[in-house]
């Protein structure tokens, strides 16, 4: 029985390859970087007859002109693991005859369940060389170049030389992914990025979006955040991602689509304006991802009204909700904003921004503020910190102080 991880890898990698070929097909009438000769490949007549038969179904599907375009392009695939190996494999099967395969890693025994062509005999060999070896058996006429290297700024000219028509980013490391995408933008090279595929299994949730719209995929979100922060790149990079949420123990769960929350663009705009109004008197105005916070983190509900059981296709009424700071001593950043009703937010702000208050019954002065809220409602505070930890993890944010969530966990265990 095919394993879930193999299914994830095949689904993601094959889709990346299919998407790229579809893009090439859509550009079949554009002037290519290499001139066609009327043949599918530049080979002898005898070999050309073999290739014509080899790719006869492709020609029937795309047409002769479009197949020529596909066969003539030069594609660089960076990252040849579960996603990249399947992507490169599908490109080869589609007739792409010139590829540069880049990966620094080796085939391991544990990666055989998701690698496209790796066998036990390949364990210990470099992924790039392993793929090239198998590719030459499938399509001997293809021009394959292997680079056993990690993509870094110091070698970007070497790895991206030769005016490639397309670069496919199949890297799973945020820093390396950002370096590659930024290099492609600088060099004006077409690039297609892939999001995360782990713990996902619903192919109907796969979409191509601009990088600025990548609010549902943790890997793509982190990359978008870093691209904007470090390189000033906010849009213009297509990303293939799944809107499905990651699941644990896939085989033990009923596989069904996640609930889709319907929230109008106007609602997000209203929330941003409310947040700006609340923060105007405190300074620290920054750019925050309102769509991500409202839809993905808080799911259109007040933090005090979270319910794990939600129906499908729900419309969310956010007219009485607003974002406000969780901890008043920290700026209004992505990892310090919670969604509450207007009444709850006013009460929260009134408490956490005060240090002391007077007890009406005894006229005693009692402590107030954020620490008092955490002590009084430790379970609620723990819930909030867990949510905000996810934001920090998704965006690669580093906290300036010790982990509050861990401390709250210890506090709860002592009770």
């Amino acid at each position: 029985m095919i394993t879930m991880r193999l299914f994830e890898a095949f689904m993601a990698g094959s889709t990346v390859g299919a998407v790229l070929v579809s893009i090439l097909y859509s550009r079949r009438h554009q002037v290519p970087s290499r001139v066609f000769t009327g043949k599918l490949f530049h080979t002898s007549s005898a070999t050309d007859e073999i290739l014509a038969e080899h790719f006869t179904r492709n020609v029937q599907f795309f047409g002769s002109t479009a197949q020529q375009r596909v066969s003539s392009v030069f594609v660089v695939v960076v990252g040849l693991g579960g996603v990249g190996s399947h992507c490169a494999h599908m490109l080869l099967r589609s007739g792409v005859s010139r590829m540069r395969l880049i990966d620094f890693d080796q085939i391991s025994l544990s990666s055989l369940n998701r690698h496209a062509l790796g066998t036990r005999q390949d364990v210990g060999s470099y992924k790039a060389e392993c793929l090239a070896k198998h590719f030459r058996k499938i399509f001997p006429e293809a021009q394959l170049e292997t680079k056993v290297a990690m993509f870094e700024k110091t070698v970007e000219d070497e790895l991206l030389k030769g005016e490639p028509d397309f670069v496919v980013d199949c890297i799973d490391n945020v820093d390396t992914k950002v370096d590659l995408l930024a290099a492609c933008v600088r060099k004006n090279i077409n690039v297609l990025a892939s999001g995360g595929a782990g713990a996902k299994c619903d192919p109907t949730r796969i979409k191509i979006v601009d990088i600025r719209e990548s609010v549902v995929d943790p890997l793509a979100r982190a990359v978008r955040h870093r691209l904007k922060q470090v390189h000033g790149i906010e849009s213009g990079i297509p990303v293939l991602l799944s809107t499905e949420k990651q699941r644990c123990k896939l085989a033990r769960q009923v596989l069904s689509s996640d609930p889709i929350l319907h929230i109008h663009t106007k609602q997000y705009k209203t929330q941003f304006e409310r947040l700006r109004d609340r923060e105007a008197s405190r300074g620290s105005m920054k750019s925050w991802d309102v769509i991500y916070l409202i839809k993905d983190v808080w799911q259109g509900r007040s933090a005090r009204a979270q319910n794990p059981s939600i129906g499908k296709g729900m419309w969310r009424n956010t007219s009485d909700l607003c974002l406000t700071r969780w901890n008043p001593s920290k700026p209004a950043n992505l990892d310090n904003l919670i969604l509450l009703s207007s009444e709850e937010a006013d009460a929260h702000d009134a408490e956490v921004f005060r240090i002391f208050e007077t007890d009406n019954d005894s006229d005693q002065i009692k402590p107030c503020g954020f620490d008092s809220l955490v002590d009084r409602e430790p379970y609620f505070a723990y819930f909030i910190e867990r949510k905000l930890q996810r934001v920090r993890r998704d965006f690669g944010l580093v906290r300036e102080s010790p982990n509050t969530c861990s401390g709250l966990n210890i506090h709860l265990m002592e009770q």
Side-chain angles (χ1 to χ4, degrees):
M1 178 179 178
I2 189 168
T3 65
M4 281 294 178
R5 295 200 63 182
L6 177 58
F7 178 68
E8 297 160 11
F10 176 77
M11 177 184 69
S14 301
T15 305
V16 175
V19 165
L20 182 54
V21 172
S22 297
I23 293 173
L24 295 174
Y25 170 73
S26 68
R27 300 181 180 184
R28 62 193 181 278
H29 299 303
Q30 299 178 9
V31 178
S33 58
R34 276 154 283 280
V35 179
F36 299 144
T37 63
K39 293 183 177 183
L40 291 181
F41 304 93
H42 303 293
T43 58
S44 66
S45 58
T47 305
D48 195 59
E49 289 180 7
I50 295 174
L51 289 172
E53 180 64 23
H54 184 162
F55 293 101
T56 182
R57 297 306 177 102
N58 301 53
V59 172
Q60 289 174 4
F61 183 78
F62 289 120
S64 179
T65 301
Q67 185 61 38
Q68 287 177 340
R69 171 60 176 160
V70 171
S71 69
S72 72
V73 296
F74 172 28
V75 179
V76 177
V77 182
V78 188
L80 303 172
V83 173
S85 63
H86 284 280
C87 171
H89 184 204
M90 291 299 102
L91 289 173
L92 186 84
R93 296 282 190 185
S94 297
V96 174
S97 61
R98 186 183 175 195
M99 277 193 282
R100 179 178 296 146
L101 307 171
I102 303 174
D103 199 306
F104 72 97
D105 205 2
Q106 297 171 305
I107 298 284
S108 64
L109 196 59
S110 63
S111 67
L112 294 182
N113 73 323
R114 58 192 180 276
H115 197 270
L117 296 170
T119 67
R120 288 193 179 181
Q121 290 182 335
D122 297 315
V123 171
S125 63
Y126 290 105
K127 292 179 179 179
E129 295 174 352
C130 169
L131 277 182
K133 179 185 73 175
H134 290 288
F135 283 2
R136 291 187 180 103
K137 296 177 181 178
I138 299 170
F139 187 0
E141 295 78 12
Q143 300 175 46
L144 303 173
E145 182 183 357
T146 60
K147 294 287 185 180
V148 180
M150 176 182 287
F151 189 91
E152 296 176 319
K153 294 179 182 178
T154 56
V155 293
E156 68 176 43
D157 290 337
E158 172 67 19
L159 298 182
L160 297 179
K161 68 181 181 181
E163 299 182 0
D165 295 286
F166 253 99
V167 171
V168 188
D169 157 38
C170 299
I171 302 171
D172 58 3
N173 175 273
V174 174
D175 293 333
T176 311
K177 205 174 185 75
V178 168
D179 287 343
L180 172 61
L181 295 176
C184 290
V185 172
R186 276 197 311 274
K187 296 175 180 293
N188 197 29
I189 300 174
N190 293 315
V191 62
L192 176 65
S194 63
K200 298 181 180 183
C201 60
D202 186 352
T204 66
R205 306 297 294 273
I206 294 175
K207 295 183 179 180
I208 303 175
V209 301
D210 190 272
I211 188 72
R212 65 185 173 189
E213 301 170 3
S214 55
V215 297
V216 294
D217 183 276
L219 177 61
R221 268 202 313 266
V223 169
R224 181 193 60 179
H225 183 74
R226 197 77 58 83
L227 279 171
K228 181 178 179 180
Q229 189 179 54
V230 179
H231 300 281
I233 299 171
E234 299 185 30
S235 62
I237 299 175
V239 182
L240 183 76
L241 53 77
S242 170
T243 60
E244 181 184 10
K245 293 184 179 179
Q246 293 175 314
R247 305 166 184 263
C248 295
K249 299 179 181 178
L250 282 170
R252 299 183 185 179
Q253 295 189 12
V254 176
L255 303 181
S256 60
S257 298
D258 294 319
I260 300 173
L261 306 183
H262 299 288
I263 302 178
H264 286 298
T265 303
K266 184 178 179 181
Q267 292 174 268
Y268 295 124
K269 183 178 179 180
T270 300
Q271 291 300 323
F272 179 78
E273 291 173 350
R274 289 177 182 174
L275 177 60
R276 186 176 56 189
D277 292 342
R278 296 184 79 88
E279 288 298 316
S281 60
R282 303 173 198 162
S284 69
M285 287 293 295
K286 295 185 178 180
S287 173
W288 35 84
D289 193 340
V290 171
I291 295 177
Y292 164 69
L293 288 173
I294 293 176
K295 186 173 183 178
D296 210 40
V297 177
W298 302 110
Q299 297 191 342
R301 284 190 173 87
S302 164
R304 291 189 173 276
Q306 294 293 307
N307 186 342
S309 177
I310 53 179
K312 296 183 179 180
M314 283 188 134
W315 286 92
R316 286 286 184 265
N317 183 357
T318 60
S319 60
D320 189 44
L321 300 177
C322 62
L323 291 163
T324 192
R325 296 194 209 190
W326 166 239
N327 186 339
S329 67
K330 298 183 180 298
N333 290 337
L334 277 169
D335 63 336
N336 193 39
L337 290 170
I338 61 174
L339 189 65
L340 297 170
S341 70
S342 298
E343 184 177 346
E344 291 167 345
D346 290 339
H348 174 82
D349 289 0
E351 176 174 3
V352 299
F353 278 95
R354 285 202 315 270
I355 301 176
F356 299 100
E357 69 177 7
T358 303
D359 191 312
N360 295 329
D361 296 329
S362 61
D363 290 332
Q364 296 285 328
I365 295 198
K366 62 180 183 179
C368 195
F370 178 72
D371 292 337
S372 175
L373 170 64
V374 173
D375 289 339
R376 192 179 72 254
E377 299 186 75
Y379 288 98
F380 177 66
Y382 178 71
F383 166 75
I384 296 295
E385 283 296 331
R386 286 288 298 272
K387 287 278 190 179
L388 298 180
Q389 268 195 336
R390 172 193 170 182
V391 178
R392 297 176 193 119
R393 183 175 61 251
D394 286 352
F395 285 88
L397 303 176
V398 180
R399 297 208 60 183
E400 298 175 359
S401 58
N403 194 314
T404 305
C405 189
S406 298
L408 283 170
N409 197 20
I410 294 173
H411 176 65
L412 292 174
M413 291 173 65
E414 292 174 345
Q415 289 189 332

